[in-house]
Amino acid sequence: PVQRVVPTTSPDEFGANLCDSTRITPEMLNSGRVVTNRHGKYKALPDQVGEKFRFVEPPEHLLFSLKRYTRSLGVSTKIGDTVDMDPTFTLDHNHIKGDRAANYQIEAFIVQSGSLSVGHYISYVYDRSRDQWYRCNDSSVTPISTSDARAAMRIAYSFYAKRVGEPFRSTP
């Protein structure tokens, strides 16, 4: 099965700043919890081992990926399971520190067909002003129905969502 959603946002919105390189251990670098922002400073996600990742503030733009491969005995295998993705969703107190929440709408995603070593990428983009999805395949851009976009979204691996409206209070 698809293993996890990895939320990412502007590097400056990440958790604890780990500028003091003496605090960075090889275990931390290999854990996938430590990233470098655009200024070359280390950031840790989450702040503490075992803590659930949560945003400090609801980001305006949200990028996330589904882990669509598994690795065993040095061999990577693509995971082809479908995932029901709702194009609108809410991040609440489980994802944002404090009592804040925000609504989001998926406005773009990428599908990869083929294997891990060879394949083809197709982007899908939503134009909110026209209420229209588009399939972007190399040099052709084609309008598609919402149902076709939702079907393609089930096998996508990378998503862009934009916050809709202002953040609001969330009840834990």
Side-chain angles (χ1 to χ4, degrees):
V2 175
Q3 294 179 353
R4 64 187 169 119
V5 174
V6 181
T8 58
T9 185
S10 166
D12 292 328
E13 294 177 12
F14 285 146
N17 191 347
L18 298 176
C19 293
D20 180 2
S21 62
T22 61
R23 294 174 44 196
I24 309 265
T25 65
E27 293 78 22
M28 290 173 75
L29 289 172
N30 293 328
S31 71
R33 294 187 321 100
V34 175
V35 297
T36 305
N37 72 11
R38 67 178 174 251
H39 305 293
K41 296 179 180 176
Y42 289 106
K43 301 281 185 169
L45 296 178
D47 295 339
Q48 308 252 339
V49 174
E51 182 185 4
K52 178 171 49 174
F53 172 83
R54 292 188 295 166
F55 291 102
V56 175
E57 291 290 328
E60 183 177 346
H61 306 278
L62 184 67
L63 302 172
F64 61 97
S65 297
L66 301 181
K67 186 174 179 184
R68 290 213 168 261
Y69 66 90
T70 185
R71 188 164 177 87
S72 177
L73 302 173
V75 176
S76 295
T77 306
K78 185 174 178 179
I79 300 171
D81 296 354
T82 60
V83 177
D84 288 326
M85 294 290 296
D86 192 334
T88 59
F89 58 92
T90 300
L91 293 184
D92 60 15
H93 64 277
N94 291 308
H95 308 284
I96 302 169
K97 291 182 178 183
D99 62 353
R100 310 268 308 205
N103 294 318
Y104 290 85
Q105 179 173 355
I106 294 174
E107 293 195 349
F109 59 92
I110 300 171
V111 171
Q112 190 264 355
S113 60
S115 68
L116 287 175
S117 58
V118 175
H120 183 71
Y121 296 88
I122 300 173
S123 298
Y124 294 81
V125 179
Y126 179 69
D127 182 343
R128 191 184 300 194
S129 67
R130 293 187 170 126
D131 191 27
Q132 177 67 58
W133 279 97
Y134 293 91
R135 183 177 191 257
C136 307
N137 186 6
D138 293 335
S139 62
S140 71
V141 176
T142 310
I144 61 170
S145 68
T146 299
S147 62
D148 286 348
R150 296 234 10 205
M153 196 179 294
R154 295 183 59 166
I155 57 172
Y157 77 94
S158 188
F159 299 84
Y160 163 74
K162 185 171 183 181
R163 191 175 68 211
V164 178
E166 292 300 315
F168 53 91
R169 286 183 71 86
S170 171
T171 308

